[in-house]
């Protein structure tokens, strides 16, 4: 009978530990909480941005997703997903523009970081660089169209 000290257990244990770690990080970031109300039914049409860096989570403890996010922008909102193999426990999200409670910009050296807060959620999303700027501009277009139709 094999024991845990034998090498054949190392690979399955390592894989299991990776899945547990990914699930815990997703939970800390608030991904499952966001997915209860903002789960995406599929990938929408729109401007697709790949290999985006962002942070998701509370202001005091955000989880960084470096070059592994995908953002799709359209007139209704934005789609956010994470690349495989990190997608485990992090379903794709679609955030309608009306669910964005606030959108602010902070400067980090020479890079702008755009911070999105969502209605009824504690978790916030920070997008760096061009992806953040384009997402902010799409949100501003939405707000302008709402002001024009009112």
């Amino acid at each position: 009978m094999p024991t845990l000290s034998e090498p054949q257990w190392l690979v399955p244990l390592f894989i299991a530990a990776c899945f547990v770690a990914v699930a815990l990080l997703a939970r800390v970031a608030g991904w499952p909480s966001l997915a209860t109300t903002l789960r995406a039914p599929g990938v929408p049409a729109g401007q697709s941005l790949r290999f985006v860096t962002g942070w998701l989570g509370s202001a005091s403890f955000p989880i960084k997703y470096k070059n592994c996010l995908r953002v799709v922008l359209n007139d209704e909102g934005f789609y956010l997903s994470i690349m495989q193999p990190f997608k485990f426990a992090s379903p794709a999200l679609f955030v309608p523009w009306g669910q964005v409670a606030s959108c602010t910009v902070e400067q980090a050296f020479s890079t702008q970081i755009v911070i999105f807060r969502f209605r009824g959620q504690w978790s916030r999303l920070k997008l760096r660089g061009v992806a953040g700027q384009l997402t902010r501009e799409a949100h501003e277009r939405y707000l302008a169209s709402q002001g024009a139709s009112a």
Side-chain angles (χ1 to χ4, degrees):
M1 172 166 236
T3 64
L4 285 178
S5 63
E6 295 180 24
Q8 67 214 30
W9 287 101
L10 292 179
V11 171
L13 283 175
F14 177 75
I15 292 170
C18 287
F19 276 102
V20 168
V22 166
L24 287 174
L25 287 173
R27 188 166 206 73
V28 168
W31 208 296
S33 173
L34 289 169
T36 59
T37 56
L38 302 174
R39 183 175 287 224
V43 181
Q47 182 180 10
S48 183
L49 308 166
R50 293 179 183 266
F51 306 108
V52 172
T53 295
W55 295 260
L56 186 67
S58 67
S60 59
F61 195 69
I63 303 300
K64 184 175 185 179
Y65 295 92
K66 186 173 183 178
N67 300 325
C68 64
L69 295 176
R70 178 179 181 197
V71 177
V72 178
L73 305 170
N74 64 30
D75 293 339
E76 289 83 37
F78 69 94
Y79 168 89
L80 180 70
S81 68
I82 188 168
M83 295 163 63
Q84 294 287 7
F86 311 107
K87 194 175 255 190
F88 177 73
S90 302
L93 306 173
F94 184 78
V95 181
W97 294 124
Q99 289 296 316
V100 176
S102 69
C103 175
T104 56
V105 178
E106 67 181 35
Q107 195 71 29
F109 300 106
S110 63
T111 304
Q112 283 190 341
I113 296 175
V114 181
I115 304 166
F116 294 93
R117 290 181 178 85
F118 310 112
R119 297 187 193 289
Q121 299 289 336
W122 58 267
S123 189
R124 65 188 198 156
L125 173 68
K126 294 168 70 171
L127 294 176
R128 184 179 83 176
V130 173
Q133 292 169 359
L134 291 173
T135 307
R136 179 180 54 85
E137 290 168 5
H139 181 250
E140 288 173 353
R141 281 193 302 274
Y142 166 78
L143 291 177
S145 73
Q146 292 301 104
S149 65

